[in-house]
Amino acid sequence: MPCQPPEERIRNFQEVALGYTEEQARMEAERCLQCKKAPCRQGCPVEIDIPAFINFIKQGDFESAIKKIKEKNNLPAICGRVCPQENQCEKYCTLSKKGEPVAIGRLERFVADYELARGESELPTLPPPTGFKVAVVGSGPAGLTAAADLARMGHKVTVFEALHVPGGVLMYGIPEFRLPKRIVQAEVDYIRRLGVEIRTNSVVGKMVTVDELLENGYDAVFIGTGAGLPYFMGIPGENLLGVYSANEFLTRTNLMKAYLFPQYLTPIKVGERVAVIGAGNVAMDAARTALRLGAKKSMIVYRRSAEEMPARKEEVENAREEGVEFHFLTSPVEFHGDEAGWVKRMTCIRYELGEPDASGRRRPVPVPGSEYHMEADTVVIAIGQGPNPLVLRTTPGLELTKKGTIAADEETGATSRPGVFAGGDIVTGAATVILAMGAGKKAARAIDAYLREKGRRSHG
């Protein structure tokens, strides 16, 4: 797919990948074998009929292609950009056995962008209202998917979002150059047009509890509050100025538009040497963002080797092209600051890899006496995040796992509380956008069945 050249894109926040032309999309669609068993479909958490939409592209019927996708997926322009297709649909593509799989994600993005460029998208026929009301807590990928599917089943849905704009991690976590915010807003608008009401600045757990929602006319509640609470390392110097969580660093930049300061009144201070601790997608986003904010050197510091990095290959390649440095088998054990309290350098220790741990990756073992110093005047901690406990603490009887996430049925999202369902990162811990959407989809079906059963009992 055509991209902005690295030397240009590190000086702007515009989207890196430029998308297919119609001709390129049709050529790529021609590669699809239209397999009878369609193995690609087993890798799609939102159940898209992949061969069918690709066949429409092959014929040049892009309108039918987007309609086919939207039978199952209400956020195609987002998924086409941030879904890790290489581990899902494309992994099962027959062509991947001997070469490159069909670029399913890029084709999905192409038809979604084709529709967005043409203006307002066509709405599906909605069934008559069922009379049931559902509250959805959180407007990230899980919440938006559940809300859209429930609206398409005829239920009245209200989404409660703590921040001032809907979108959750799609707005605060993923940089503009990977997922333009206008794309998120366009897909949120489509969900509004399905009849979903979205209330922003509504903090469930503070302004209203889950119990109060159930007492005040809502027949079911879906909790999709994600994993927005950053993890820290717990090492000396972590409270120095210039040490950010990836969550704060990216939220200031993405949601609060710090890169457009002073046009937007959110400053962010980035030094000349930025060290990002971790090697997942969030770490790549932070390291690439640092370069665009003016850092002279941006470094990924990771305690395992290149093979163990959890980030998508595409994100790692983009980071390397842009000049991000990679320091493997090393991690900080202490941060040091100047007299004014600003971080200036890190004491790091080297690691070697031992036997695999619970994650299946080889465990990093510290090498005694291998300490050394690394200069850094900005540090971003990107070692993962977990559930914010606010909703969980204010919902008595809600069973949690050892990790502090909600215990919910994998197929239905049902929790220990009748009428309360949950899905996405609040259940699995930090995972992908598409897995959260898959959970929202399953929960919507289960909520629909629960409400219809409730209706039968009340009329029986």
Side-chain angles (χ1 to χ4, degrees), residues 19 75 215 236 248 309 342 344 350 357:
L75 305 170
E215 285 158 17
E248 182 190 354
M309 284 196 289
W342 286 91
K344 285 296 163 209
R350 297 194 191 279
D357 62 14

Side-chain angles (χ1 to χ4, degrees), residues 401-419:
T401 66
K402 285 178 192 165
K403 290 181 177 175
T405 57
I406 297 175
D409 184 279
E410 202 176 315
E411 286 308 306
T412 64
T415 71
S416 56
R417 290 283 308 268

Side-chain angles (χ1 to χ4, degrees), residues 281-340:
N281 288 331
V282 173
M284 298 305 147
D285 285 345
R288 297 173 67 198
T289 294
L291 288 171
R292 287 160 172 79
L293 290 171
K296 290 195 174 148
K297 184 174 275 207
S298 181
M299 303 171 285
I300 289 281
V301 179
Y302 182 49
R303 63 194 189 129
R304 288 182 161 102
S305 72
E307 285 69 50
E308 280 82 23
M309 284 196 289
R312 289 181 71 184
K313 276 194 194 123
E314 188 181 342
E315 299 312 310
V316 174
E317 282 166 18
N318 281 334
R320 285 191 196 280
E321 283 174 9
E322 290 168 12
V324 172
E325 285 184 12
F326 287 77
H327 296 257
F328 296 115
L329 296 169
T330 190
S331 188
V333 290
E334 185 172 358
F335 301 116
H336 306 276
D338 60 16
E339 310 74 49

Side-chain angles (χ1 to χ4, degrees), residues 348-391:
C348 295
I349 191 164
R350 297 194 191 279
Y351 288 84
E352 54 192 19
L353 293 178
E355 293 303 307
D357 62 14
S359 74
R361 295 173 299 171
R362 293 174 66 194
R363 185 189 300 279
V365 180
V367 176
S370 65
E371 291 87 350
Y372 70 103
H373 290 306
M374 186 186 287
E375 303 298 313
D377 48 11
T378 303
V379 174
V380 181
I381 312 285
I383 57 168
Q385 58 274 344
N388 187 311
L390 187 59
V391 174

